[in-house]
Structures are given as structure tokens and as C-alpha cells.
Amino acid sequence: ATPNAAGAVALVVEYFKKKWPYAKVQLDGVTMRALMINSCIHPHNTKTPDILFGHGLVDLSTILPFDNTFGVQITNPEKLPSISESSHLVAEIKVKSKKVDLQVTMSYLDPMLDQSSIVPLTRDLDLVVVSPTKRFIGDHLESEDAQHFSTNEKVIIRKNEIEVGTYIAHIYSNDFMDTGLSEDRQQFSVVATGDIDNKYIKFGTPIV
């Protein structure tokens, strides 16, 4: 698995450096992680990651649109969005057809308290994707609650569930634990694939 993953990462870096139609960019680590998780296909076709397979098996054909049958959007690796505690940011994703699944993945690097800490996360961010009529919570947990034990969350919307139109990706933050850091904002990366334009995803404050 490790050589496979390392080789896949090298190919993805090369693609975004030379071939992505929107821009030529050098990927950062957290965006790379979001891309790799977004590419995964679970062998049992479930939307929820599990202990045995995680999010699934890496499939680069789902994130490298060489045949132009889908598009890929990422947050700008050179200027990742960031969120303060107990806050809410949004971004629009416009879906043009039901030809392919829409997948949206969020990743971030949680500041660690110390190696012996039993606290799972010091900064819990959650992903929610809202279609014109439905709401999809990151990792599709049976509890229908947000994921509170992972720094990666993924939403999968199958072709038969797609509604053509504008989707809103929501990032919510809970209270931050005091890690002794001067930085009071948490950076994150979001990746989306589907029948969408190749471009950067831009997050901002929701309009009330």
C-alpha cells in the first residue's frame, strides 16, 4: 500500500504542477491528503469510512480529469482558507449535470496537545454540503451527527441523487482547546470533483 500511495501522490503532484486546466500549482500536504481521500472508492460501495478499509482504495481516475468528463476544484494551496473558533464559512459549487458523482472532501492538520493526550481533537471542524433540497453531513454517519473524531470528512452524492444547480459547502468550527499557540485560526483544505468547472473553491462568510 505504501509504494502505491507514494506513487499516486507523485502523479497527482505532477498533474497539478503541469496539467490542471485552471492553473499550475504546487500542492501542499493537506490539499494532497484531501485529494487522495477524495479519490478513494470503498470496496463495499459505502459512503462511511470504516476501520478495515478507511475511505477505500485510491483511484486516480476519479481526481485527474484527463478525459475532461469531470472537473476538480481545490482551495488555493498557496493561501489556504482559515476559520476561527465557533464560526461558519461557505463556498458555492455549481454542478452542471448528473453524469458523474459529486464528491467533496475536507482535511486539516489539528494542533496536538502532546503525545500522551487522550483528547482526540483540539479543533473540531465539520463539513456539510447542501444541495438545492437536501443536506449531506460529512462521512454520512448513521447517527446523522457530524464527525468529531477525524480531521478528514467526505461527502459523496451519487449520480442518481444529484440535483443540477448550486451546492453550498459549509465548514463549521466548534470551540478550540488552548494549545498554547498564538494562532487563533485553523487552516483547512477542501477538494471537490464532479461535473463542475476546474477552479479554486473560495470560502467566505455566509450572507444572512
Side-chain angles (χ1 to χ4, degrees), residues 11-12 15-16 19-22 35 38-39 59-74 100 191-199:
L11 291 172
V12 174
Y15 175 83
F16 278 89
K19 299 288 187 182
W20 189 40
Y22 182 72
L35 279 162
N38 200 78
S39 81
D59 182 351
L60 295 188
S61 70
T62 66
I63 58 168
L64 302 184
F66 287 113
D67 57 3
N68 296 318
T69 57
F70 65 94
V72 56
Q73 297 182 7
I74 62 175
V100 292
V191 165
T193 54
D195 191 3
I196 57 181
D197 292 331
N198 292 289
K199 65 177 186 177

Side-chain angles (χ1 to χ4, degrees), residues 83-96:
I83 189 169
S84 58
E85 66 176 351
S86 305
S87 296
H88 177 204
L89 295 176
V90 296
E92 288 188 354
I93 302 171
K94 294 185 178 179
V95 178
K96 297 183 282 187

Side-chain angles (χ1 to χ4, degrees), residues 50-194:
D50 57 36
I51 295 174
L52 186 59
F53 294 105
H55 286 275
L57 307 175
V58 171
D59 182 351
L60 295 188
S61 70
T62 66
I63 58 168
L64 302 184
F66 287 113
D67 57 3
N68 296 318
T69 57
F70 65 94
V72 56
Q73 297 182 7
I74 62 175
T75 41
N76 187 342
E78 297 177 359
K79 192 177 181 181
L80 289 178
S82 64
I83 189 169
S84 58
E85 66 176 351
S86 305
S87 296
H88 177 204
L89 295 176
V90 296
E92 288 188 354
I93 302 171
K94 294 185 178 179
V95 178
K96 297 183 282 187
S97 79
K98 300 183 177 185
K99 293 178 182 176
V100 292
D101 294 349
L102 174 67
Q103 299 197 156
V104 184
T105 301
M106 173 197 68
S107 288
Y108 64 100
L109 301 177
D110 185 53
M112 196 165 79
L113 291 174
D114 60 70
Q115 290 183 337
S116 62
S117 173
I118 61 171
V119 177
L121 292 177
T122 61
R123 296 181 173 182
D124 180 21
L125 306 188
D126 295 313
L127 168 68
V128 175
V129 177
V130 178
S131 76
T133 65
K134 297 178 182 176
R135 186 170 181 261
F136 302 86
I137 299 173
D139 287 349
H140 305 271
L141 302 180
E142 287 186 8
S143 64
E144 298 186 356
D145 188 15
Q147 173 70 266
H148 299 301
F149 298 100
S150 176
T151 57
N152 308 292
E153 295 188 17
K154 182 177 177 180
V155 166
I156 302 171
I157 304 174
R158 307 289 188 204
K159 289 184 284 187
N160 64 330
E161 300 174 290
I162 293 277
E163 299 171 78
V164 176
T166 300
Y167 288 64
I168 307 296
H170 299 258
I171 302 296
Y172 295 95
S173 65
N174 296 301
D175 291 344
F176 292 170
M177 291 191 64
D178 182 10
T179 59
L181 299 176
S182 59
E183 179 59 57
D184 62 353
R185 298 183 68 86
Q186 176 63 49
Q187 287 188 322
F188 62 90
S189 179
V190 171
V191 165
T193 54

Side-chain angles (χ1 to χ4, degrees), residues 18-30:
K18 297 181 177 179
K19 299 288 187 182
W20 189 40
Y22 182 72
K24 307 298 182 277
V25 297
Q26 181 68 47
L27 295 176
D28 65 301
V30 72

